[in-house]
Amino acid sequence: MKKLLFSLIALAAVFTSCNDYETYGDKKEKERNAISKFIADSSIVVISEDQFIQQGKTTNLARNEFVRFDKNGVYMQIVREGCGTPLQDGEQVNLVCRFTEFNIITDTIQTFNNTSYFAASPDIMQVSRTSGTFTASFASGVMLSYYGSASVPSGWLVPLTYVKVGRPLSETDENCKVRLIVPHSQGHYTASSNVIPFYYEITFQRES
């Protein structure tokens, strides 16, 4: 009788652990639901790429518009276009990046470097553009030290087609600023391996 009882307990434990296991499909569904909730809670108006282009590749801040890119699932809002010029084809530069990274699943800030504490040590991203394609790596900063990888989330490169990355030289010049919702497939290793979407606020400007 005791053997039977122990067998039933063991079987119940196995069954419970199986029920607790999340498949990749389960995690993707959780991600989709989390992004949808974040968009609703933030009163974000999602526009198509066609509408984005018709508006001159801008997003209406008064309506809190974000464009969703069909190819990669990234949502983007251009807060400030920036000054200077966009990164040109064949060009390689260092960009100074200041950001806040928000974990949409846990509803918490994960990393940041946009306070006075980090004023003298922003993240530096080495970026090149070849035939319209951007590649990048972190040379220094919070993202490199926190995640232990120089790899830049693909989602961070999406705005570079649409913004200017000059360096402010006058009181009227402003560096570019974007807001992004980055699904796990366009994020860093932690995001992709755990199926976690992140929300970012990022400013870019040339280092020199």
Side-chain angles (χ1 to χ4, degrees):
M1 183 66 182
K2 287 184 177 179
K3 288 184 178 179
L4 178 60
L5 181 59
F6 288 147
S7 296
L8 289 173
I9 291 172
L11 182 62
V14 171
F15 181 75
T16 301
S17 65
C18 288
N19 281 346
D20 289 342
Y21 176 73
E22 278 189 314
T23 66
Y24 178 61
D26 292 335
K27 292 178 180 179
K28 286 183 67 176
E29 180 65 21
K30 184 177 180 180
E31 176 185 45
R32 284 192 292 270
N33 291 339
I35 290 175
S36 295
K37 183 177 184 302
F38 180 83
I39 288 172
D41 290 347
S42 304
S43 300
I44 290 171
V45 176
V46 179
I47 63 173
S48 67
E49 288 183 69
D50 287 342
Q51 184 174 342
F52 176 63
I53 292 170
Q54 289 171 9
Q55 294 177 180
K57 298 179 181 178
T58 61
T59 48
N60 188 322
L61 296 182
R63 297 184 68 237
N64 199 23
E65 289 181 349
F66 278 63
V67 55
R68 183 186 184 279
F69 295 96
D70 294 332
K71 184 178 180 180
N72 50 43
V74 171
Y75 297 77
M76 178 187 73
Q77 180 182 77
I78 300 175
V79 181
R80 297 192 299 262
E81 184 185 22
C83 58
T85 60
L87 190 62
Q88 301 300 304
D89 205 49
E91 191 175 11
Q92 182 174 344
V93 299
N94 285 353
L95 295 184
V96 176
C97 312
R98 300 189 186 278
F99 70 93
T100 298
E101 179 183 56
F102 184 85
N103 186 319
I104 293 177
I105 294 292
T106 61
D107 198 31
T108 56
I109 292 175
Q110 186 136 330
T111 59
F112 61 91
N113 76 346
N114 57 358
T115 65
S116 58
Y117 178 82
F118 298 99
S121 56
D123 283 39
I124 302 298
M125 187 171 75
Q126 298 173 330
V127 190
S128 61
R129 182 176 187 176
T130 306
S131 300
T133 300
F134 295 94
T135 56
S137 61
F138 289 115
S140 61
V142 172
M143 290 292 282
L144 177 61
S145 60
Y146 187 89
Y147 292 108
S149 171
S151 179
V152 174
S154 298
W156 278 42
L157 305 180
V158 171
L160 297 181
T161 301
Y162 308 101
V163 297
K164 298 175 182 178
V165 289
R167 189 173 182 84
L169 299 175
S170 70
E171 292 183 0
T172 57
D173 286 342
E174 293 183 305
N175 55 16
C176 71
K177 180 178 181 178
V178 296
R179 296 177 178 137
L180 303 171
I181 298 173
V182 178
H184 78 281
S185 58
Q186 299 296 308
H188 43 58
Y189 177 77
T190 297
S192 60
S193 60
N194 293 285
V195 193
I196 299 174
F198 283 91
Y199 168 77
Y200 294 95
E201 290 193 1
I202 313 173
T203 62
F204 298 109
Q205 71 175 52
R206 291 175 190 259
E207 186 175 32
S208 59

